[in-house]
Amino acid sequence: MSMSRRNFLKTTLGVGIGAGMLGLGASLLPTMAAHAALSTREMYVFGTLVNLGAEGDAAQAQQALNEIEQRFLLMNRDWHAWKAGELSTLNAALAEGRSMAVSNELAVMLRGARDAAQASGDLFNPALGKLITLWDFQSDVQQRSAPPAAEEIAALCASAPRMSDVHIDTLDDGRQVVSSRNPNVRIDLGGYAKGVALDWALDHLAAEGLHNAVVNLGGNLAIAGQRDGRPWHIGVRHPQGEGVIAAIDAQGREAVVTSGTYERFREWDGQRYPHIIDPRSGQPATHVVSATVIHADAAWADAAATALVVAGAQGWREVAARMGVSQVMVIDAEGGVGMTAAIAPRVTFVGARPARVEVV
Ligand code: AMP
Ligand code: MG
């Protein structure tokens, strides 16, 4: 096993971090030995492993990482689609046809999610929480049960819950009031909230004067600046099996977000049902097993990656163009890789080169 590969495997999901993360880089990658100290933090939140790292004054960095940890725990509670918190309270109100005043943070997030949904042609559709519930994906553990009845799926699809059903109004007194004209809207921000959290964390670190930093939310990763004067070295997880399929260097302010159908799924009768749902059919998306997006805005990248998995091997280029994401890598169920011309020069395959690589 190569050194970089060992280092990548330190993280369990999606994208790992090479060169210096967790203080191991110096011994693992002698050619990329890191001298600038990295303050780190590891926690479990958003149903996944979270790694934070920041260069700079250690006391200041630790203080900022503490604040991020506290904020992430609150975000996880407030934006959870089904556990008690602000979003689940809103969902209960919308299901009963009531409007509800929400926090500014949630209003901002809902507007952002609505814009992304519109840009994606509703393939990214966070209003489909009822379908997620129906498929029983609202659990942090893998499910093993039969898929829902076709009639139930068809009934929900026919009512077509989407973000354009949701109104977010600013009242004269400044309150943000949310309502829905479709009682089947149930907002699930699982495909978006991690990106918002990534943006928030890097903004917070920058405001504290920490401009060289990394935030990894279970393989969804955002970086700022550099690591010890060099680009951050990022690994994209192989969608089949352990390890890394590709390495990408990143610097400045960039997010590398991967949506994968390997992450969470249910199994029944030898069949896998991944947790990303195609809102058109109500069925799990299975053609694209992994979509990676590099973009300055992590929230947008998160929404786009989810939309590209739904769009599938034929449709992803058009959806990427519609959403204005130019750096995309998609892996289909047969292991074929599709890439945009803008990402191709940045991707280094690790291990065996995929059988089919197409740059478009
Ligand atoms: P991600 O890992 O960002 O692709 O997010 C996957 C999560 O987003 C799922 O676990 C669901 O909670 C939710 N989700 C599933 N399908 C969709 C979809 N088509 N649009 C928006 N969110 C979805
Ligand atoms: Mg997403």
Side-chain angles (χ1 to χ4, degrees):
M1 184 184 287
S2 74
M3 287 173 179
S4 61
R5 196 170 164 87
R6 264 182 70 189
N7 205 11
F8 285 134
L9 293 180
K10 289 300 294 176
T11 51
T12 53
L13 287 171
V15 182
I17 304 168
M21 186 57 185
L22 309 174
L24 295 169
S27 60
L28 289 175
L29 291 173
T31 55
M32 298 181 74
H35 300 293
L38 193 73
S39 300
T40 63
R41 184 65 53 87
E42 189 171 301
M43 67 192 95
Y44 195 82
V45 65
F46 302 116
T48 193
L49 189 66
V50 173
N51 290 291
L52 308 173
E55 281 185 6
D57 176 75
Q60 199 185 355
Q62 287 300 342
Q63 171 68 26
L65 297 182
N66 282 344
E67 287 156 8
I68 293 171
E69 182 168 6
Q70 294 311 311
R71 184 78 179 102
F72 276 8
L73 293 170
L74 290 177
M75 287 176 174
N76 187 48
R77 184 197 66 191
D78 291 338
W79 301 343
H80 219 285
W82 68 94
K83 289 184 189 165
E86 189 181 13
L87 183 58
S88 63
T89 308
L90 173 64
N91 277 331
L94 299 183
E96 292 169 13
R98 285 186 286 118
S99 61
M100 187 182 122
V102 300
S103 63
N104 280 334
E105 289 77 20
L106 185 56
V108 166
M109 205 164 155
L110 293 174
R111 288 197 174 96
R114 187 187 57 190
D115 292 348
Q118 191 188 5
S120 76
D122 289 310
L123 298 187
F124 168 72
N125 181 358
L128 53 51
K130 286 205 170 180
L131 272 169
I132 303 290
T133 310
L134 189 61
W135 277 95
D136 216 3
F137 288 130
Q138 294 190 332
S139 164
D140 292 337
V141 292
Q142 267 185 36
Q143 302 294 304
R144 286 177 193 279
S145 54
E151 308 81 67
E152 284 183 283
I153 296 173
L156 270 183
C157 286
S159 74
R162 49 183 64 142
M163 289 306 285
S164 51
D165 293 326
V166 176
H167 293 282
I168 311 153
D169 297 313
T170 307
L171 302 189
D172 290 343
D173 60 7
R175 280 185 308 149
Q176 305 286 332
V177 174
V178 180
S179 59
S180 169
R181 62 181 175 206
N182 184 341
N184 275 337
V185 164
R186 181 180 158 101
I187 298 167
D188 179 326
L189 295 172
Y192 187 69
K194 288 192 187 99
V196 173
L198 287 174
D199 286 329
W200 184 87
L202 286 188
D203 287 347
H204 186 70
L205 289 164
E208 298 297 319
L210 300 161
H211 298 289
N212 296 303
V214 59
V215 186
N216 181 8
L217 267 61
N220 300 297
L221 191 141
I223 55 96
Q226 295 187 317
R227 173 67 185 125
D228 203 26
R230 295 189 182 88
W232 292 93
H233 195 48
I234 295 166
V236 179
R237 194 184 126 166
H238 204 297
Q240 269 105 25
E242 287 292 303
V244 163
I245 188 163
I248 291 172
D249 283 351
Q251 57 190 329
R253 179 85 187 235
E254 284 192 307
V256 184
V257 175
T258 299
S259 248
T261 59
Y262 51 82
E263 270 178 49
R264 191 185 296 168
F265 48 82
R266 67 198 268 176
E267 262 176 320
W268 180 254
D269 219 8
Q271 182 101 9
R272 273 192 181 190
Y273 299 93
H275 66 137
I276 297 174
I277 302 286
D278 186 332
R280 298 165 295 191
S281 63
Q283 298 289 330
T286 52
H287 299 146
V288 162
V289 294
S290 164
T292 298
V293 175
I294 307 182
H295 197 68
D297 182 318
W300 196 261
D302 194 354
T306 304
L308 295 176
V309 169
V310 175
Q314 301 307 319
W316 69 266
R317 293 167 191 82
E318 190 198 322
V319 174
R322 282 186 60 156
M323 295 191 78
V325 289
S326 59
Q327 301 191 48
V328 174
M329 179 173 78
V330 160
I331 304 173
D332 66 31
E334 286 77 46
V337 175
M339 288 194 275
T340 57
I343 205 175
R346 302 184 62 180
V347 173
T348 307
F349 289 106
V350 177
R353 194 179 160 81
R356 188 166 46 81
V357 178
E358 200 187 341
V359 178
V360 289

PDB file of all heavy atoms in Angstrom, residues 191-192 259 302-303 306, ligand 2:
ATOM      1  N   GLY A 191     -29.199  16.574   1.632  1.00  0.00           N
ATOM      2  CA  GLY A 191     -28.352  16.699   0.444  1.00  0.00           C
ATOM      3  C   GLY A 191     -27.707  18.064   0.319  1.00  0.00           C
ATOM      4  O   GLY A 191     -27.062  18.344  -0.704  1.00  0.00           O
ATOM      5  N   TYR A 192     -27.861  18.926   1.331  1.00  0.00           N
ATOM      6  CA  TYR A 192     -27.469  20.328   1.202  1.00  0.00           C
ATOM      7  C   TYR A 192     -26.790  20.882   2.461  1.00  0.00           C
ATOM      8  O   TYR A 192     -25.874  21.690   2.380  1.00  0.00           O
ATOM      9  CB  TYR A 192     -28.737  21.136   0.906  1.00  0.00           C
ATOM     10  CG  TYR A 192     -28.530  22.584   0.588  1.00  0.00           C
ATOM     11  CD1 TYR A 192     -27.913  22.975  -0.599  1.00  0.00           C
ATOM     12  CD2 TYR A 192     -28.966  23.578   1.461  1.00  0.00           C
ATOM     13  CE1 TYR A 192     -27.743  24.316  -0.896  1.00  0.00           C
ATOM     14  CE2 TYR A 192     -28.804  24.927   1.171  1.00  0.00           C
ATOM     15  CZ  TYR A 192     -28.193  25.299  -0.013  1.00  0.00           C
ATOM     16  OH  TYR A 192     -28.019  26.616  -0.308  1.00  0.00           O
ATOM     17  N   SER A 259     -21.144  12.981  -3.901  1.00  0.00           N
ATOM     18  CA  SER A 259     -22.384  12.272  -3.562  1.00  0.00           C
ATOM     19  C   SER A 259     -22.212  10.859  -4.060  1.00  0.00           C
ATOM     20  O   SER A 259     -21.842  10.651  -5.212  1.00  0.00           O
ATOM     21  CB  SER A 259     -23.551  12.877  -4.335  1.00  0.00           C
ATOM     22  OG  SER A 259     -24.415  13.523  -3.484  1.00  0.00           O
ATOM     23  N   ASP A 302     -22.733  20.823  -3.038  1.00  0.00           N
ATOM     24  CA  ASP A 302     -23.459  19.722  -2.397  1.00  0.00           C
ATOM     25  C   ASP A 302     -24.771  19.440  -3.146  1.00  0.00           C
ATOM     26  O   ASP A 302     -25.075  18.293  -3.515  1.00  0.00           O
ATOM     27  CB  ASP A 302     -23.736  20.107  -0.928  1.00  0.00           C
ATOM     28  CG  ASP A 302     -24.172  18.927  -0.083  1.00  0.00           C
ATOM     29  OD1 ASP A 302     -24.370  17.819  -0.627  1.00  0.00           O
ATOM     30  OD2 ASP A 302     -24.336  19.117   1.138  1.00  0.00           O
ATOM     31  N   ALA A 303     -25.522  20.511  -3.397  1.00  0.00           N
ATOM     32  CA  ALA A 303     -26.781  20.347  -4.138  1.00  0.00           C
ATOM     33  C   ALA A 303     -26.511  19.768  -5.522  1.00  0.00           C
ATOM     34  O   ALA A 303     -27.209  18.853  -5.989  1.00  0.00           O
ATOM     35  CB  ALA A 303     -27.491  21.697  -4.254  1.00  0.00           C
ATOM     36  N   THR A 306     -25.636  15.950  -5.608  1.00  0.00           N
ATOM     37  CA  THR A 306     -26.840  15.124  -5.448  1.00  0.00           C
ATOM     38  C   THR A 306     -27.639  15.113  -6.756  1.00  0.00           C
ATOM     39  O   THR A 306     -28.082  14.054  -7.219  1.00  0.00           O
ATOM     40  CB  THR A 306     -27.699  15.661  -4.284  1.00  0.00           C
ATOM     41  OG1 THR A 306     -26.885  15.709  -3.106  1.00  0.00           O
ATOM     42  CG2 THR A 306     -28.907  14.782  -4.028  1.00  0.00           C
TER      43      THR A 306
HETATM   44 MG    MG B   2     -25.576  16.760  -1.746  1.00  0.00          MG
END
